[in-house]
Amino acid sequence: MFPPRWLTPFIVIAAAFVLATADADARPLGGFSAGSRGMRTYSAPPSTATAPGAAPIQRSMTQPSNAAPIGQTTPSSGLFAGRGLFGGLAGGFLGAGLLGLLFGYGFFGGMAGFASIIGLLLQVVLVVIVARLIFVWWRRRNMTAAPSYATAYPATGHSFAGLRGMSNNASATASEPLAIATSDYGAFERLLGDIQGAFSTEDLSTLRTMVTPEMLSYFSEQLADNASRGLINRVTDVKLLQGDLAEAWREGHTDYVTVAMKFALKDSMVERASRRTVEGGERTEVTELWTFMRASGGNWLLSAIQQTLH
């Protein structure tokens, strides 16, 4: 027996949610993008050969620069935002149409008193809105693209290839470009393995020396969640396969660099009591963008991890 028509939208939404979350990886922040990239936290890093696109930061302690103060409402804009006659009517039409769809009468079935021409006009308006959103996304994507400063480095023992010696992003006008030395890339590769190793052994004291306090809080939450389920996330045999520089910049006395890295590892969930592997264990390849920061003259610390767009 099929479910009632009014229940179908909820089933579709639930199925989509399950599919979206079932693929999440268990490694540190696997499948999730979090952390801070200074003033560029909410701007996409430039594309690289290793990572053509980066997922936006989903969780960060850095607030957007254009956020409205608490208690103050940001004025709305857009087609339905006005409080005039058209805004009210359009909002009412859309609400009635959605109710009609929800209860199985079709998108315009819940607007029995309105002429069919109103429905046609509303469809046209919706198409215009979608087209406008696509255009804005496309324009922002092109604006964040940075010019290439790719220069090849001689063999240095690490797996970064086609590195950029200096990177700048015109979208962040208050920052300046930063030169990255060959020794820095070796530090990034070491941090990749050391952070994964400390996470695997649940060594928060060691993690504290390699990541920012914000990232340490995210790792701590993930480890606590594993412990509550009686599991340990083992991440072993980490090897960098390919890497390149997305961008590097300085904000005041703080340096930032975002690096795209493709690496292989064994990621498994182990039962804490029996040490039995209950999930994973196979060798897999992962591509992520890691952002590091340092105070002038200090050591690099991991400040953000971003997933790539597929």
mmCIF file of all heavy atoms in Angstrom, residues 66-117:
data_model
loop_
_atom_site.group_PDB
_atom_site.id
_atom_site.type_symbol
_atom_site.label_atom_id
_atom_site.label_comp_id
_atom_site.label_asym_id
_atom_site.label_seq_id
_atom_site.Cartn_x
_atom_site.Cartn_y
_atom_site.Cartn_z
ATOM 1 N N ASN A 66 29.614 41.015 7.455
ATOM 2 C CA ASN A 66 28.385 41.765 7.181
ATOM 3 C C ASN A 66 27.219 41.296 8.030
ATOM 4 O O ASN A 66 26.068 41.578 7.731
ATOM 5 C CB ASN A 66 28.008 41.627 5.705
ATOM 6 C CG ASN A 66 27.775 40.177 5.312
ATOM 7 O OD1 ASN A 66 28.096 39.267 6.058
ATOM 8 N ND2 ASN A 66 27.231 39.971 4.120
ATOM 9 N N ALA A 67 27.516 40.562 9.122
ATOM 10 C CA ALA A 67 26.426 40.084 9.975
ATOM 11 C C ALA A 67 25.800 41.245 10.732
ATOM 12 O O ALA A 67 26.481 42.155 11.195
ATOM 13 C CB ALA A 67 26.957 39.038 10.965
ATOM 14 N N ALA A 68 24.493 41.227 10.884
ATOM 15 C CA ALA A 68 23.797 42.293 11.614
ATOM 16 C C ALA A 68 23.987 42.106 13.101
ATOM 17 O O ALA A 68 24.054 40.983 13.596
ATOM 18 C CB ALA A 68 22.306 42.263 11.280
ATOM 19 N N PRO A 69 24.105 43.188 13.893
ATOM 20 C CA PRO A 69 24.225 43.068 15.347
ATOM 21 C C PRO A 69 23.021 42.350 15.936
ATOM 22 O O PRO A 69 21.931 42.350 15.358
ATOM 23 C CB PRO A 69 24.297 44.530 15.813
ATOM 24 C CG PRO A 69 24.708 45.314 14.607
ATOM 25 C CD PRO A 69 24.140 44.580 13.435
ATOM 26 N N ILE A 70 23.255 41.739 17.095
ATOM 27 C CA ILE A 70 22.177 41.023 17.765
ATOM 28 C C ILE A 70 21.043 41.990 18.080
ATOM 29 O O ILE A 70 21.245 43.072 18.615
ATOM 30 C CB ILE A 70 22.693 40.368 19.055
ATOM 31 C CG1 ILE A 70 23.757 39.319 18.711
ATOM 32 C CG2 ILE A 70 21.564 39.735 19.840
ATOM 33 C CD1 ILE A 70 24.382 38.679 19.921
ATOM 34 N N GLY A 71 19.815 41.581 17.750
ATOM 35 C CA GLY A 71 18.655 42.415 18.022
ATOM 36 C C GLY A 71 18.322 43.354 16.882
ATOM 37 O O GLY A 71 17.294 44.018 16.920
ATOM 38 N N GLN A 72 19.219 43.399 15.884
ATOM 39 C CA GLN A 72 18.952 44.276 14.746
ATOM 40 C C GLN A 72 18.659 43.436 13.524
ATOM 41 O O GLN A 72 19.397 42.516 13.198
ATOM 42 C CB GLN A 72 20.172 45.173 14.469
ATOM 43 C CG GLN A 72 19.991 46.071 13.242
ATOM 44 C CD GLN A 72 21.203 46.947 13.013
ATOM 45 O OE1 GLN A 72 22.011 47.128 13.910
ATOM 46 N NE2 GLN A 72 21.331 47.470 11.825
ATOM 47 N N THR A 73 17.584 43.715 12.855
ATOM 48 C CA THR A 73 17.180 42.955 11.687
ATOM 49 C C THR A 73 17.761 43.573 10.432
ATOM 50 O O THR A 73 17.613 44.771 10.205
ATOM 51 C CB THR A 73 15.647 42.898 11.565
ATOM 52 O OG1 THR A 73 15.124 42.359 12.764
ATOM 53 C CG2 THR A 73 15.227 42.045 10.382
ATOM 54 N N THR A 74 18.413 42.731 9.638
ATOM 55 C CA THR A 74 18.961 43.211 8.376
ATOM 56 C C THR A 74 17.825 43.419 7.394
ATOM 57 O O THR A 74 16.994 42.526 7.183
ATOM 58 C CB THR A 74 19.948 42.182 7.795
ATOM 59 O OG1 THR A 74 20.975 41.960 8.759
ATOM 60 C CG2 THR A 74 20.545 42.681 6.495
ATOM 61 N N PRO A 75 17.717 44.579 6.746
ATOM 62 C CA PRO A 75 16.644 44.816 5.789
ATOM 63 C C PRO A 75 16.668 43.767 4.695
ATOM 64 O O PRO A 75 17.715 43.440 4.152
ATOM 65 C CB PRO A 75 16.985 46.214 5.221
ATOM 66 C CG PRO A 75 17.838 46.852 6.264
ATOM 67 C CD PRO A 75 18.603 45.741 6.897
ATOM 68 N N SER A 76 15.503 43.230 4.384
ATOM 69 C CA SER A 76 15.413 42.218 3.345
ATOM 70 C C SER A 76 15.402 42.863 1.986
ATOM 71 O O SER A 76 15.021 44.008 1.814
ATOM 72 C CB SER A 76 14.136 41.386 3.536
ATOM 73 O OG SER A 76 14.129 40.780 4.810
ATOM 74 N N SER A 77 15.850 42.095 1.021
ATOM 75 C CA SER A 77 15.813 42.554 -0.357
ATOM 76 C C SER A 77 15.372 41.403 -1.226
ATOM 77 O O SER A 77 15.428 40.257 -0.833
ATOM 78 C CB SER A 77 17.196 43.055 -0.793
ATOM 79 O OG SER A 77 18.141 42.003 -0.689
ATOM 80 N N GLY A 78 14.965 41.704 -2.445
ATOM 81 C CA GLY A 78 14.516 40.650 -3.331
ATOM 82 C C GLY A 78 13.074 40.849 -3.736
ATOM 83 O O GLY A 78 12.400 41.781 -3.298
ATOM 84 N N LEU A 79 12.616 39.934 -4.544
ATOM 85 C CA LEU A 79 11.308 40.087 -5.161
ATOM 86 C C LEU A 79 10.174 40.062 -4.163
ATOM 87 O O LEU A 79 9.221 40.814 -4.265
ATOM 88 C CB LEU A 79 11.126 38.964 -6.188
ATOM 89 C CG LEU A 79 9.915 39.083 -7.098
ATOM 90 C CD1 LEU A 79 9.960 40.377 -7.884
ATOM 91 C CD2 LEU A 79 9.838 37.893 -8.026
ATOM 92 N N PHE A 80 10.258 39.167 -3.152
ATOM 93 C CA PHE A 80 9.152 39.016 -2.210
ATOM 94 C C PHE A 80 9.401 39.760 -0.909
ATOM 95 O O PHE A 80 8.651 39.603 0.050
ATOM 96 C CB PHE A 80 8.929 37.530 -1.889
ATOM 97 C CG PHE A 80 8.580 36.725 -3.103
ATOM 98 C CD1 PHE A 80 9.173 35.480 -3.319
ATOM 99 C CD2 PHE A 80 7.678 37.208 -4.042
ATOM 100 C CE1 PHE A 80 8.852 34.743 -4.436
ATOM 101 C CE2 PHE A 80 7.365 36.460 -5.159
ATOM 102 C CZ PHE A 80 7.950 35.221 -5.361
ATOM 103 N N ALA A 81 10.504 40.534 -0.821
ATOM 104 C CA ALA A 81 10.873 41.123 0.452
ATOM 105 C C ALA A 81 10.069 42.380 0.770
ATOM 106 O O ALA A 81 9.919 42.752 1.912
ATOM 107 C CB ALA A 81 12.364 41.463 0.469
ATOM 108 N N GLY A 82 9.559 43.067 -0.246
ATOM 109 C CA GLY A 82 8.852 44.313 0.002
ATOM 110 C C GLY A 82 7.574 44.111 0.789
ATOM 111 O O GLY A 82 6.937 43.079 0.724
ATOM 112 N N ARG A 83 7.208 45.118 1.539
ATOM 113 C CA ARG A 83 5.979 45.030 2.336
ATOM 114 C C ARG A 83 4.799 45.637 1.583
ATOM 115 O O ARG A 83 3.741 45.818 2.142
ATOM 116 C CB ARG A 83 6.189 45.751 3.668
ATOM 117 C CG ARG A 83 7.285 45.115 4.519
ATOM 118 C CD ARG A 83 7.422 45.826 5.835
ATOM 119 N NE ARG A 83 8.451 45.228 6.673
ATOM 120 C CZ ARG A 83 8.252 44.202 7.477
ATOM 121 N NH1 ARG A 83 7.055 43.646 7.526
ATOM 122 N NH2 ARG A 83 9.223 43.737 8.216
ATOM 123 N N GLY A 84 5.018 45.961 0.336
ATOM 124 C CA GLY A 84 3.951 46.550 -0.452
ATOM 125 C C GLY A 84 2.949 45.517 -0.920
ATOM 126 O O GLY A 84 2.982 44.348 -0.544
ATOM 127 N N LEU A 85 2.059 45.961 -1.805
ATOM 128 C CA LEU A 85 0.980 45.101 -2.279
ATOM 129 C C LEU A 85 1.509 43.887 -3.005
ATOM 130 O O LEU A 85 1.086 42.759 -2.761
ATOM 131 C CB LEU A 85 0.059 45.912 -3.205
ATOM 132 C CG LEU A 85 -1.099 45.127 -3.841
ATOM 133 C CD1 LEU A 85 -2.016 44.577 -2.755
ATOM 134 C CD2 LEU A 85 -1.882 46.032 -4.804
ATOM 135 N N PHE A 86 2.506 44.097 -3.906
ATOM 136 C CA PHE A 86 3.001 42.969 -4.697
ATOM 137 C C PHE A 86 3.695 41.940 -3.810
ATOM 138 O O PHE A 86 3.523 40.736 -3.985
ATOM 139 C CB PHE A 86 3.974 43.466 -5.770
ATOM 140 C CG PHE A 86 4.509 42.353 -6.633
ATOM 141 C CD1 PHE A 86 3.721 41.795 -7.623
ATOM 142 C CD2 PHE A 86 5.784 41.862 -6.429
ATOM 143 C CE1 PHE A 86 4.222 40.772 -8.411
ATOM 144 C CE2 PHE A 86 6.271 40.835 -7.208
ATOM 145 C CZ PHE A 86 5.498 40.288 -8.205
ATOM 146 N N GLY A 87 4.473 42.424 -2.837
ATOM 147 C CA GLY A 87 5.160 41.494 -1.955
ATOM 148 C C GLY A 87 4.185 40.631 -1.183
ATOM 149 O O GLY A 87 4.361 39.437 -1.040
ATOM 150 N N GLY A 88 3.112 41.244 -0.668
ATOM 151 C CA GLY A 88 2.129 40.474 0.091
ATOM 152 C C GLY A 88 1.394 39.467 -0.766
ATOM 153 O O GLY A 88 1.184 38.332 -0.377
ATOM 154 N N LEU A 89 0.968 39.897 -1.959
ATOM 155 C CA LEU A 89 0.251 38.988 -2.844
ATOM 156 C C LEU A 89 1.129 37.839 -3.285
ATOM 157 O O LEU A 89 0.707 36.675 -3.303
ATOM 158 C CB LEU A 89 -0.275 39.752 -4.061
ATOM 159 C CG LEU A 89 -1.456 40.703 -3.803
ATOM 160 C CD1 LEU A 89 -1.802 41.454 -5.088
ATOM 161 C CD2 LEU A 89 -2.669 39.929 -3.303
ATOM 162 N N ALA A 90 2.387 38.148 -3.671
ATOM 163 C CA ALA A 90 3.282 37.091 -4.142
ATOM 164 C C ALA A 90 3.537 36.083 -3.027
ATOM 165 O O ALA A 90 3.562 34.876 -3.261
ATOM 166 C CB ALA A 90 4.607 37.699 -4.622
ATOM 167 N N GLY A 91 3.748 36.579 -1.800
ATOM 168 C CA GLY A 91 3.958 35.668 -0.691
ATOM 169 C C GLY A 91 2.743 34.792 -0.443
ATOM 170 O O GLY A 91 2.856 33.605 -0.171
ATOM 171 N N GLY A 92 1.548 35.385 -0.550
ATOM 172 C CA GLY A 92 0.332 34.599 -0.361
ATOM 173 C C GLY A 92 0.160 33.541 -1.431
ATOM 174 O O GLY A 92 -0.212 32.404 -1.156
ATOM 175 N N PHE A 93 0.428 33.911 -2.700
ATOM 176 C CA PHE A 93 0.310 32.941 -3.790
ATOM 177 C C PHE A 93 1.271 31.774 -3.573
ATOM 178 O O PHE A 93 0.913 30.611 -3.736
ATOM 179 C CB PHE A 93 0.625 33.613 -5.136
ATOM 180 C CG PHE A 93 -0.400 34.652 -5.536
ATOM 181 C CD1 PHE A 93 -0.050 35.666 -6.426
ATOM 182 C CD2 PHE A 93 -1.693 34.621 -5.037
ATOM 183 C CE1 PHE A 93 -0.980 36.614 -6.798
ATOM 184 C CE2 PHE A 93 -2.623 35.571 -5.404
ATOM 185 C CZ PHE A 93 -2.270 36.580 -6.290
ATOM 186 N N LEU A 94 2.512 32.111 -3.225
ATOM 187 C CA LEU A 94 3.501 31.060 -3.046
ATOM 188 C C LEU A 94 3.118 30.139 -1.894
ATOM 189 O O LEU A 94 3.222 28.921 -1.987
ATOM 190 C CB LEU A 94 4.880 31.685 -2.794
ATOM 191 C CG LEU A 94 6.049 30.702 -2.626
ATOM 192 C CD1 LEU A 94 6.187 29.829 -3.865
ATOM 193 C CD2 LEU A 94 7.339 31.452 -2.354
ATOM 194 N N GLY A 95 2.646 30.718 -0.777
ATOM 195 C CA GLY A 95 2.245 29.900 0.351
ATOM 196 C C GLY A 95 1.075 28.995 0.005
ATOM 197 O O GLY A 95 1.055 27.812 0.347
ATOM 198 N N ALA A 96 0.108 29.530 -0.707
ATOM 199 C CA ALA A 96 -1.056 28.720 -1.086
ATOM 200 C C ALA A 96 -0.649 27.598 -2.016
ATOM 201 O O ALA A 96 -1.122 26.472 -1.923
ATOM 202 C CB ALA A 96 -2.108 29.612 -1.746
ATOM 203 N N GLY A 97 0.268 27.905 -2.957
ATOM 204 C CA GLY A 97 0.724 26.885 -3.890
ATOM 205 C C GLY A 97 1.455 25.764 -3.183
ATOM 206 O O GLY A 97 1.254 24.587 -3.474
ATOM 207 N N LEU A 98 2.309 26.107 -2.219
ATOM 208 C CA LEU A 98 3.032 25.080 -1.491
ATOM 209 C C LEU A 98 2.086 24.219 -0.666
ATOM 210 O O LEU A 98 2.279 23.015 -0.545
ATOM 211 C CB LEU A 98 4.086 25.733 -0.588
ATOM 212 C CG LEU A 98 5.273 26.392 -1.319
ATOM 213 C CD1 LEU A 98 6.176 27.086 -0.319
ATOM 214 C CD2 LEU A 98 6.041 25.360 -2.124
ATOM 215 N N LEU A 99 1.075 24.840 -0.071
ATOM 216 C CA LEU A 99 0.098 24.054 0.672
ATOM 217 C C LEU A 99 -0.654 23.102 -0.253
ATOM 218 O O LEU A 99 -0.928 21.960 0.088
ATOM 219 C CB LEU A 99 -0.889 24.982 1.395
ATOM 220 C CG LEU A 99 -0.345 25.704 2.638
ATOM 221 C CD1 LEU A 99 -1.388 26.676 3.168
ATOM 222 C CD2 LEU A 99 0.047 24.706 3.705
ATOM 223 N N GLY A 100 -0.987 23.586 -1.442
ATOM 224 C CA GLY A 100 -1.666 22.720 -2.398
ATOM 225 C C GLY A 100 -0.805 21.534 -2.782
ATOM 226 O O GLY A 100 -1.274 20.402 -2.883
ATOM 227 N N LEU A 101 0.503 21.787 -2.987
ATOM 228 C CA LEU A 101 1.417 20.708 -3.325
ATOM 229 C C LEU A 101 1.549 19.731 -2.176
ATOM 230 O O LEU A 101 1.556 18.513 -2.358
ATOM 231 C CB LEU A 101 2.786 21.299 -3.682
ATOM 232 C CG LEU A 101 3.892 20.287 -4.004
ATOM 233 C CD1 LEU A 101 3.536 19.476 -5.238
ATOM 234 C CD2 LEU A 101 5.228 20.997 -4.189
ATOM 235 N N LEU A 102 1.634 20.255 -0.962
ATOM 236 C CA LEU A 102 1.814 19.417 0.215
ATOM 237 C C LEU A 102 0.645 18.469 0.426
ATOM 238 O O LEU A 102 0.812 17.316 0.775
ATOM 239 C CB LEU A 102 2.030 20.305 1.440
ATOM 240 C CG LEU A 102 2.245 19.597 2.775
ATOM 241 C CD1 LEU A 102 3.536 18.783 2.729
ATOM 242 C CD2 LEU A 102 2.301 20.590 3.921
ATOM 243 N N PHE A 103 -0.559 18.956 0.191
ATOM 244 C CA PHE A 103 -1.747 18.132 0.438
ATOM 245 C C PHE A 103 -2.266 17.427 -0.801
ATOM 246 O O PHE A 103 -3.384 16.936 -0.837
ATOM 247 C CB PHE A 103 -2.848 18.992 1.054
ATOM 248 C CG PHE A 103 -2.537 19.386 2.467
ATOM 249 C CD1 PHE A 103 -2.026 20.645 2.759
ATOM 250 C CD2 PHE A 103 -2.725 18.487 3.507
ATOM 251 C CE1 PHE A 103 -1.729 21.007 4.054
ATOM 252 C CE2 PHE A 103 -2.424 18.844 4.815
ATOM 253 C CZ PHE A 103 -1.925 20.099 5.087
ATOM 254 N N GLY A 104 -1.438 17.384 -1.860
ATOM 255 C CA GLY A 104 -1.758 16.531 -2.989
ATOM 256 C C GLY A 104 -2.657 17.126 -4.036
ATOM 257 O O GLY A 104 -3.189 16.397 -4.876
ATOM 258 N N TYR A 105 -2.856 18.443 -4.036
ATOM 259 C CA TYR A 105 -3.742 19.035 -5.032
ATOM 260 C C TYR A 105 -2.986 19.689 -6.166
ATOM 261 O O TYR A 105 -3.563 20.365 -7.002
ATOM 262 C CB TYR A 105 -4.638 20.087 -4.361
ATOM 263 C CG TYR A 105 -5.510 19.524 -3.281
ATOM 264 C CD1 TYR A 105 -5.261 19.836 -1.951
ATOM 265 C CD2 TYR A 105 -6.562 18.659 -3.588
ATOM 266 C CE1 TYR A 105 -6.060 19.306 -0.943
ATOM 267 C CE2 TYR A 105 -7.354 18.143 -2.584
ATOM 268 C CZ TYR A 105 -7.102 18.464 -1.267
ATOM 269 O OH TYR A 105 -7.883 17.945 -0.273
ATOM 270 N N GLY A 106 -1.671 19.539 -6.181
ATOM 271 C CA GLY A 106 -0.883 20.214 -7.204
ATOM 272 C C GLY A 106 -0.472 21.584 -6.712
ATOM 273 O O GLY A 106 -1.001 22.112 -5.745
ATOM 274 N N PHE A 107 0.540 22.163 -7.381
ATOM 275 C CA PHE A 107 1.081 23.433 -6.903
ATOM 276 C C PHE A 107 0.031 24.525 -6.894
ATOM 277 O O PHE A 107 0.016 25.394 -6.038
ATOM 278 C CB PHE A 107 2.274 23.842 -7.776
ATOM 279 C CG PHE A 107 3.011 25.032 -7.227
ATOM 280 C CD1 PHE A 107 3.972 24.862 -6.236
ATOM 281 C CD2 PHE A 107 2.737 26.303 -7.687
ATOM 282 C CE1 PHE A 107 4.645 25.954 -5.730
ATOM 283 C CE2 PHE A 107 3.410 27.388 -7.171
ATOM 284 C CZ PHE A 107 4.359 27.217 -6.199
ATOM 285 N N PHE A 108 -0.872 24.528 -7.881
ATOM 286 C CA PHE A 108 -1.884 25.570 -7.966
ATOM 287 C C PHE A 108 -3.267 25.085 -7.560
ATOM 288 O O PHE A 108 -4.255 25.777 -7.723
ATOM 289 C CB PHE A 108 -1.938 26.128 -9.393
ATOM 290 C CG PHE A 108 -0.633 26.728 -9.820
ATOM 291 C CD1 PHE A 108 0.180 26.071 -10.730
ATOM 292 C CD2 PHE A 108 -0.202 27.927 -9.282
ATOM 293 C CE1 PHE A 108 1.379 26.610 -11.113
ATOM 294 C CE2 PHE A 108 1.009 28.477 -9.662
ATOM 295 C CZ PHE A 108 1.805 27.817 -10.583
ATOM 296 N N GLY A 109 -3.313 23.837 -7.017
ATOM 297 C CA GLY A 109 -4.611 23.323 -6.616
ATOM 298 C C GLY A 109 -5.171 24.003 -5.396
ATOM 299 O O GLY A 109 -6.377 23.992 -5.140
ATOM 300 N N GLY A 110 -4.288 24.587 -4.549
ATOM 301 C CA GLY A 110 -4.765 25.230 -3.340
ATOM 302 C C GLY A 110 -5.167 26.667 -3.559
ATOM 303 O O GLY A 110 -5.407 27.403 -2.610
ATOM 304 N N MET A 111 -5.223 27.147 -4.804
ATOM 305 C CA MET A 111 -5.562 28.551 -5.084
ATOM 306 C C MET A 111 -6.841 28.618 -5.902
ATOM 307 O O MET A 111 -6.907 29.256 -6.937
ATOM 308 C CB MET A 111 -4.402 29.230 -5.826
ATOM 309 C CG MET A 111 -3.142 29.324 -4.991
ATOM 310 S SD MET A 111 -1.849 30.255 -5.810
ATOM 311 C CE MET A 111 -1.410 29.123 -7.110
ATOM 312 N N ALA A 112 -7.821 27.872 -5.436
ATOM 313 C CA ALA A 112 -9.070 27.803 -6.200
ATOM 314 C C ALA A 112 -9.742 29.139 -6.178
ATOM 315 O O ALA A 112 -10.554 29.306 -6.102
ATOM 316 C CB ALA A 112 -10.007 26.785 -5.556
ATOM 317 N N GLY A 113 -9.877 30.059 -6.562
ATOM 318 C CA GLY A 113 -10.470 31.364 -6.622
ATOM 319 C C GLY A 113 -9.683 32.292 -7.479
ATOM 320 O O GLY A 113 -10.136 33.359 -7.800
ATOM 321 N N PHE A 114 -8.470 31.881 -7.862
ATOM 322 C CA PHE A 114 -7.618 32.740 -8.693
ATOM 323 C C PHE A 114 -7.600 32.208 -10.114
ATOM 324 O O PHE A 114 -7.634 31.005 -10.345
ATOM 325 C CB PHE A 114 -6.178 32.778 -8.150
ATOM 326 C CG PHE A 114 -6.067 33.444 -6.808
ATOM 327 C CD1 PHE A 114 -6.010 32.681 -5.667
ATOM 328 C CD2 PHE A 114 -6.025 34.822 -6.701
ATOM 329 C CE1 PHE A 114 -5.910 33.286 -4.432
ATOM 330 C CE2 PHE A 114 -5.914 35.416 -5.477
ATOM 331 C CZ PHE A 114 -5.866 34.646 -4.324
ATOM 332 N N ALA A 115 -7.542 33.103 -11.035
ATOM 333 C CA ALA A 115 -7.508 32.730 -12.452
ATOM 334 C C ALA A 115 -6.194 32.034 -12.774
ATOM 335 O O ALA A 115 -5.181 32.235 -12.118
ATOM 336 C CB ALA A 115 -7.682 33.984 -13.326
ATOM 337 N N SER A 116 -6.203 31.178 -13.794
ATOM 338 C CA SER A 116 -5.007 30.420 -14.153
ATOM 339 C C SER A 116 -3.874 31.327 -14.598
ATOM 340 O O SER A 116 -2.706 30.969 -14.520
ATOM 341 C CB SER A 116 -5.338 29.438 -15.276
ATOM 342 O OG SER A 116 -5.810 30.133 -16.425
ATOM 343 N N ILE A 117 -4.199 32.540 -15.050
ATOM 344 C CA ILE A 117 -3.151 33.462 -15.475
ATOM 345 C C ILE A 117 -2.245 33.838 -14.324
ATOM 346 O O ILE A 117 -1.038 34.071 -14.481
ATOM 347 C CB ILE A 117 -3.777 34.731 -16.116
ATOM 348 C CG1 ILE A 117 -2.671 35.612 -16.716
ATOM 349 C CG2 ILE A 117 -4.580 35.503 -15.094
ATOM 350 C CD1 ILE A 117 -1.914 34.976 -17.829
#
